Amino acid sequence: MNDLQEEGKNAINAPMSPTPITLDPEETLLEENEERTMIDKASREDLKYIELKKVLIDWINEVLVEERIIVKSLKHDLYDGQVLQKLLETLANCKLNVAEVTQSEIAQKQKLQTVLEKVQDLLRPQGWPIRWTVDAIHGKNTAAILHLLVALAMHFCAPIRLPEHVSVQVVVVKKREGLLHTSYVTEELTTTTEMMMGKFERDAFDTLFDHAPDKLSVVKKSLITFVNKHLNKLNLEVTELETQFADGVYLVLLMGLLENYFIPLHHFYLTPEGFDQKVHNISFAFELMEDGGLKKPKARPEDIVNLDLKSTLRVLYNLFTKYKNVE
């Protein structure tokens, strides 16, 4: 046992390795031709990586609060499929045909197979790359687990903000002819929210932000003039687009003014408290936009709440296009 562990450490910490790797004993015990992957120490200590794990753990626990399931470790709590089953059933409002309790490795992998097949059915229309397998999840491959959770969070429009551009260096260890061989691969866990949401088509605002930031102030000024033309009727005034629309109140009131109707106060939160109430307000405003003949906004309510200026501008510009001649 000690010899095997020493063999693992020597192979991993060889002079050819970019950085020393600290391994758990179980990670050095490989069969011939068996391969195992792990995230290196520097990546594990990266603040954006730590934030990504925390955001996802908090989201899972919030989704499964009624199941009284508390996840503390993605690596150790999700590998057997039990939590993933409950998470998917809750998010997709479905019931999977699997055993509730599975203790043997074969039964656990069968459950994982069923869960991951359902996930793939959901994600296939979006063309989401499948970067996880039953063996990877069951083998406690943290990178694979994170890929899966990021995909689920994006697909189900989770009310969370994932840190963008999170990459990790993954160490791949394989045993050949009795020796451990290592290689390194950089894996991108998140890109931008828009890319992960599948919004690959670029629009005028992408071009504006990327190539003409000097013209951004002109667009903002025009939209501020437009919204104040109507909100001034209620003695309200906007000076900062990214912050003053973030709770959804002005957006709801603006729709009432543009469509010339009164919105009963019990339909929205006039003084919203917390993230969920703000998301409710913006989602309600989006419904009013659809009732008024506009297409459902591409922006996510969660992004507006999180002060994403580009999302806010897209929504307001759509209103401007339709209602610019309304007095």
Side-chain angles (χ1 to χ4, degrees):
M1 180 74 167
N2 290 334
D3 290 343
L4 283 169
Q5 291 181 30
E6 191 63 31
E7 174 193 334
K9 292 176 181 177
N10 289 339
I12 296 298
N13 297 328
M16 295 297 289
S17 301
T19 53
I21 302 301
T22 302
L23 291 178
D24 294 329
E26 65 180 50
E27 292 173 330
T28 67
L29 301 177
L30 304 181
E31 299 292 335
E32 183 67 19
N33 292 321
E34 184 182 354
E35 183 178 282
R36 190 163 294 165
T37 63
M38 61 216 74
I39 296 174
D40 77 352
K41 187 173 186 292
S43 293
R44 293 199 306 269
E45 294 176 350
D46 180 76
L47 294 180
K48 290 176 71 173
Y49 170 76
I50 293 171
E51 181 189 357
L52 176 63
K53 290 208 304 178
K54 183 181 184 305
V55 169
L56 289 170
I57 287 173
D58 289 347
W59 171 59
I60 294 171
N61 288 335
E62 179 66 26
V63 172
L64 298 180
V65 64
E66 293 186 4
E67 298 284 344
R68 298 184 179 180
I69 292 175
I70 298 177
V71 170
K72 294 182 179 179
S73 165
L74 297 179
K75 179 178 179 179
H76 296 292
D77 293 343
L78 272 65
Y79 81 95
D80 62 359
Q82 185 74 18
V83 173
L84 286 174
Q85 173 206 341
K86 294 297 183 183
L87 180 65
L88 185 60
E89 288 180 339
T90 303
L91 292 171
N93 192 26
C94 67
K95 184 66 177 175
L96 298 178
N97 185 23
V98 293
E100 285 297 320
V101 179
T102 50
Q103 295 184 346
S104 71
E105 178 179 332
I106 293 176
Q108 289 172 352
K109 287 187 173 183
Q110 287 175 341
K111 172 178 280 192
L112 275 171
Q113 182 69 38
T114 301
V115 171
L116 296 183
E117 284 177 357
K118 178 64 175 179
V119 170
Q120 192 164 340
D121 288 343
L122 291 170
L123 299 181
R124 187 181 291 112
Q126 296 174 309
W128 195 281
I130 306 300
R131 301 175 70 177
W132 54 83
T133 63
V134 169
D135 286 338
I137 301 294
H138 196 268
K140 301 180 181 180
N141 182 324
T142 307
I145 292 171
L146 286 169
H147 281 307
L148 172 61
L149 293 176
V150 167
L152 289 175
M154 290 299 99
H155 177 79
F156 289 103
C157 296
I160 56 177
R161 185 73 172 179
L162 297 178
E164 299 184 339
H165 300 296
V166 180
S167 294
V168 292
Q169 189 173 50
V170 174
V171 187
V172 182
V173 184
K174 186 169 185 177
K175 190 168 188 176
R176 291 200 304 268
E177 298 179 355
L179 297 176
L180 296 183
H181 300 265
T182 64
S183 59
Y184 291 78
V185 179
T186 298
E187 290 201 25
E188 190 176 53
L189 299 176
T190 67
T191 55
T192 64
T193 300
E194 287 188 339
M195 287 288 286
M196 291 185 290
M197 286 295 291
K199 299 171 184 172
F200 297 106
E201 68 277 7
R202 292 175 59 81
D203 61 14
F205 285 100
D206 290 305
T207 304
L208 193 68
F209 273 73
D210 293 346
H211 305 296
D214 54 312
K215 296 181 181 179
L216 185 60
S217 60
V218 177
V219 173
K220 289 171 67 175
K221 185 177 180 180
S222 297
L223 291 176
I224 287 173
T225 300
F226 164 69
V227 298
N228 279 336
K229 172 184 173 183
H230 300 282
L231 290 175
N232 284 168
K233 299 170 187 175
L234 299 177
N235 294 320
L236 301 173
E237 185 168 2
V238 170
T239 56
E240 291 291 334
L241 294 177
E242 53 265 69
T243 57
Q244 288 182 270
F245 283 94
D247 64 7
V249 175
Y250 278 15
L251 205 54
V252 171
L253 295 176
L254 181 60
M255 281 308 303
L257 291 165
L258 293 172
E259 286 289 339
N260 195 29
Y261 54 64
F262 173 75
I263 301 173
L265 298 182
H266 66 269
H267 282 299
F268 67 106
Y269 298 97
L270 194 58
T271 54
E273 298 179 3
F275 189 85
D276 290 342
Q277 292 187 2
K278 294 175 182 179
V279 169
H280 169 86
N281 281 354
I282 295 173
S283 299
F284 177 57
F286 283 7
E287 292 175 13
L288 298 178
M289 293 174 197
E290 289 185 84
D291 291 342
L294 287 167
K295 290 184 179 179
K296 183 178 181 179
K298 294 179 181 178
R300 299 194 315 157
E302 294 82 6
D303 292 335
I304 296 177
V305 174
N306 284 317
L307 309 180
D308 184 74
L309 177 59
K310 195 184 295 186
S311 296
T312 304
L313 291 179
R314 284 191 173 108
V315 172
L316 294 177
Y317 184 75
N318 283 342
L319 294 180
F320 171 77
T321 303
K322 179 175 174 62
Y323 297 105
K324 60 185 176 183
N325 295 322
V326 173
E327 292 298 326

